[in-house]
Amino acid sequence: MFESTKLLRTHGIPVTAQRLAVLRAIREQPHGTAEAIAEEVRSKIGSISKQSIYNTLGSFVEKGLLRRIQPAGSPALYEGRVGDNHHHLICRACGKTVDVDCAVGKKPCLTAANDAGFVIDEAEVIYWGTCPACLVTTTK
Amino acid sequence: MFESTKLLRTHGIPVTAQRLAVLRAIREQPHGTAEAIAEEVRSKIGSISKQSIYNTLGSFVEKGLLRRIQPAGSPALYEGRVGDNHHHLICRACGKTVDVDCAVGKKPCLTAANDAGFVIDEAEVIYWGTCPACLVTTTK
DNA sequence: GTCAAGTTTTGGACTCAGTCCAATTTATTG
DNA sequence: CAATAAATTGGACTGAGTCCAAAACTTGAC
């Protein structure tokens, strides 16, 4: 039995061709949009509906199999690296997205200077900048 | 002459009723959406087109008069507090948004653990959680 | 104060990402 | 293998924002 099948079963998720293909697509696209993942899936199993893509990605995010990030000015991105507290670095010019570990150790990000009585459950950090490739073209 | 008029002039922005009203609306709505600001403006000057709202807010952001934040699952919010490096704390349940100062002093947020050769110009931090009011209703 | 030139504002069409819904197909359990 | 519950499909729809051309303004020069 394939790893992916086992993964779904252990999470109590019925195994379908679409879900397996989405899992596979995520492995090839570390930070793909729903549309990009749909394309990847179609290249493997022929077709998948928009709705199934969103259903699948949504339930995977709920079960903790995937993480969804929603950067300003971009559709949501999905990534398979979960369970750690890493953040993202995004190029303003080309959208290239890379993972970065938390700057200040393990999980200190969760402490805001003044929490206004909120119970904080996540600190989302996005570093914006310019990637090496775009630096070259813009300074020319 | 009004403060707002002076502010626009010093930034070389032609003064129009719409722009003055947007400036005024921002003062009343510390974290408003484009739509909320449009409503506020309409209550003051009668009407404003969608396009003008976006033009105005967009150019104000460019000139540094306003800051735009784009939290996941919400339309963009605009705020008048600019020039400092503060972050935001957002309630997942009701969307309430409050300002928080940078947790780690002045501007250390700009240092990622490993920058992959990027030139970073901004660290955007959003703390997600539940506000006091929503805590009460959900734990009941 | 008036005029010309260049911006803004308008409103309507349009795009993009994502959601909603009913009908059909599929996976799982007994 | 049948019954049931769940997933998939496709098409309509929504919300946020952009694009465009025409009309209305601000501004700076006279």
Side-chain angles (χ1 to χ4, degrees):
Chain A
M1 186 188 284
F2 293 114
E3 279 311 310
S4 302
T5 303
K6 222 179 289 178
L7 182 64
L8 292 178
R9 289 257 158 79
T10 60
H11 281 83
I13 306 172
V15 178
T16 66
Q18 289 83 345
R19 295 214 248 244
L20 290 173
V22 166
L23 239 26
R24 200 145 66 118
I26 290 285
R27 256 179 264 124
E28 324 240 317
Q29 303 225 350
H31 298 103
T33 61
E35 182 51 34
I37 292 164
E39 274 315 308
E40 181 66 35
V41 167
R42 287 191 191 109
S43 78
K44 293 296 191 311
I45 65 167
S47 80
I48 190 170
S49 71
K50 192 165 42 146
Q51 188 60 61
S52 289
I53 285 290
Y54 285 108
N55 282 351
T56 306
L57 293 173
S59 69
F60 285 0
V61 168
E62 258 180 42
K63 305 274 185 191
L65 271 58
L66 251 47
R67 188 167 149 193
R68 178 195 280 130
I69 56 183
Q70 285 163 268
S74 148
L77 304 177
Y78 296 84
E79 69 177 350
R81 182 176 160 188
V82 292
D84 64 347
N85 187 33
H86 76 274
H87 302 309
H88 298 95
L89 175 41
I90 307 179
C91 177
R92 287 187 197 276
C94 70
K96 183 165 188 248
T97 302
V98 306
D99 293 340
V100 291
D101 291 310
C102 195
V104 217
K106 280 288 160 249
K107 280 223 177 190
C109 298
L110 272 190
T111 47
N114 134 30
D115 65 9
F118 280 54
V119 173
I120 300 176
D121 60 67
E122 187 191 345
E124 180 185 4
V125 182
I126 297 184
Y127 296 98
W128 293 95
T130 312
C131 76
C134 290
L135 273 177
V136 174
T137 51
T138 54
T139 52
K140 254 180 195 164
Chain B
M1 186 190 284
F2 294 114
E3 280 311 311
S4 302
T5 305
K6 223 179 290 178
L7 182 64
L8 293 177
R9 288 258 159 77
T10 60
H11 281 83
I13 306 172
V15 178
T16 66
Q18 289 81 348
R19 296 213 250 244
L20 290 174
V22 166
L23 238 25
R24 200 146 64 119
I26 291 286
R27 256 180 262 124
E28 323 241 318
Q29 302 224 350
H31 298 103
T33 62
E35 182 50 33
I37 291 164
E39 274 314 309
E40 181 64 35
V41 167
R42 285 189 192 112
S43 78
K44 292 298 192 307
I45 65 166
S47 80
I48 190 169
S49 71
K50 190 162 47 142
Q51 188 60 60
S52 289
I53 285 291
Y54 285 108
N55 283 352
T56 305
L57 293 172
S59 68
F60 285 179
V61 168
E62 257 180 41
K63 304 275 184 189
L65 270 57
L66 253 47
R67 189 167 149 194
R68 179 195 279 129
I69 57 183
Q70 285 163 270
S74 149
L77 304 178
Y78 296 85
E79 68 179 349
R81 181 177 161 189
V82 293
D84 64 346
N85 187 33
H86 75 273
H87 302 309
H88 298 94
L89 174 41
I90 307 178
C91 176
R92 287 187 196 276
C94 70
K96 181 163 190 252
T97 302
V98 305
D99 293 341
V100 291
D101 292 309
C102 196
V104 218
K106 279 286 159 254
K107 279 222 175 192
C109 299
L110 271 189
T111 47
N114 133 31
D115 64 10
F118 279 55
V119 172
I120 299 176
D121 60 68
E122 187 191 347
E124 179 186 5
V125 181
I126 297 184
Y127 296 98
W128 293 96
T130 312
C131 75
C134 290
L135 273 177
V136 174
T137 52
T138 54
T139 51
K140 254 177 194 166

